[in-house]
Amino acid sequence: MFSATRIAAALALSCAAIGAQAHSVWMKPSSTVLSKADWVTVDAAVSNDMFFFNHRPLGLDKLVITAPDGSTVEPKNAHKGELRSVFDLKPEQAGTYQLAIVNSGVMGSYKDAAGQMKRLRGSAEEIAKQIPADAKDVRVAESISRIETFVTMGKPSPLRLSGKGLELVPVTHPNDLVVGEEATFAFHVDGKPAADVEVVLVPDGKRYRDAVNEIKLKTDAQGHIKVKFPTAGMYWLDADVNDDKTSNPIAKERRLAYVATLEVLP
C-alpha cells in the first residue's frame, strides 16, 4: 500500500533486506499533552494496521528519550511481549520530551550464478566480502530511519534536530495540533529543506473502517507541508526519501525514512 511503510518497517527491524514484507512501525503514547507531571504509557509495534497489535513488538534497544533540557531520560517498566513493546515515562520538566528510535546501516541483495536471490547482512565491510565475483543484480543501500513521537508537559518547547537523515522540523509544534486548524511542518534531509517529499498521514482506527482515509501531501520548495486535520485523534505520519548521497562506495543508493505519531485534539 505504502512504499514508505515497507522501507520504514525494514529499517526498523534492522535485519530486513530489500524487498521486505510491508508492515507499519509506530510508537503510540497514551497521552501527548499533560497539564502536570503524570505517567504516560507508550506502546510500540510492527503491525499490518496502524496502532493495532497483530505482528511483532518494536525493539526498544535504540530508544532515546530526550527531556526539554537536553538530558536523556530512561524509560520505566519497559517490557517486550509477543505483539508489542511497552514502556512508561513520567515527564517531570515543563516542555517537550522527544521519543525517538533511530536505526542506520547497510542492506542489500544479489542474484547468484543460479539466479537465486541472496540477501546481504552486516556492516558495509562484511557485505563487501559476501558478494561473489559472479554476482548479478547487486543492490546495496545505506539506510537511516527515525521513528518518533512527542510528549509535552505544560508549554511546548523546541525539538532537538540531529541534522542527519530525514527529519520533521516543526513550524507548528507537534503537540499543538487542533482539529480544523491548519498546521505546517517542514522536512529536512541532512539539515536542509527537502522538496517534493511525499508525506502520508493516516488517522487511527483503520481496522474498523473500509477506507484508509489517508491524507497525501508533497513538500514545497522550502520543504513545507500544510495540513488541516479533519478529525481529532492519533495520526500516523510517514515520509521517505531515496537519493545517492551515500557515505560508503559499496552503496549506490541511500534510503531515508521518517515515521511519527501525532495527536490532534478536539
Side-chain angles (χ1 to χ4, degrees), residues 214-227:
E214 73 269 30
I215 301 170
K216 295 183 178 180
L217 303 165
K218 182 176 286 188
T219 60
D220 62 17
Q222 289 73 46
H224 288 180
I225 61 167
K226 296 181 183 295
V227 58

Side-chain angles (χ1 to χ4, degrees), residues 146-170:
R146 176 177 289 270
I147 306 164
E148 285 189 322
T149 192
F150 315 94
V151 176
T152 292
M153 197 271 283
K155 186 178 180 180
S157 58
L159 304 183
R160 295 175 186 273
L161 305 174
S162 71
K164 297 179 180 178
L166 179 59
E167 294 183 287
L168 180 150
V169 181

Side-chain angles (χ1 to χ4, degrees), residues 21 48 55 76 82 113 117 141 150 154 194 214-215 230 255 257 265-266:
Q21 292 185 346
N48 295 319
H55 185 57
K76 302 294 185 182
E82 294 294 333
M117 183 68 73
F150 315 94
E214 73 269 30
I215 301 170
R255 298 183 171 189
L265 297 177

Side-chain angles (χ1 to χ4, degrees), residues 44-108:
V46 180
S47 65
N48 295 319
D49 289 331
M50 272 64 79
F51 307 136
F52 181 72
F53 325 117
N54 59 3
H55 185 57
R56 61 178 295 174
L58 184 64
L60 301 179
D61 53 312
K62 294 186 179 179
L63 170 67
V64 175
I65 303 174
T66 304
D69 65 358
S71 62
T72 299
V73 178
E74 292 296 321
K76 302 294 185 182
N77 307 317
H79 170 73
K80 185 176 183 180
E82 294 294 333
L83 295 178
R84 64 174 172 170
S85 298
V86 179
F87 62 92
D88 294 328
L89 166 68
K90 188 174 185 180
E92 301 286 356
Q93 299 176 23
T96 300
Y97 287 70
Q98 193 167 357
L99 291 62
I101 296 175
V102 180
N103 288 291
S104 62
V106 178
M107 57 185 180

Side-chain angles (χ1 to χ4, degrees), residues 28-34 39-42 150-152 175 234 263:
K28 182 182 180 183
S30 57
S31 300
T32 64
V33 179
L34 305 171
W39 286 105
V40 174
T41 291
V42 181
F150 315 94
V151 176
T152 292
N175 286 143
M234 293 291 186
E263 185 177 28

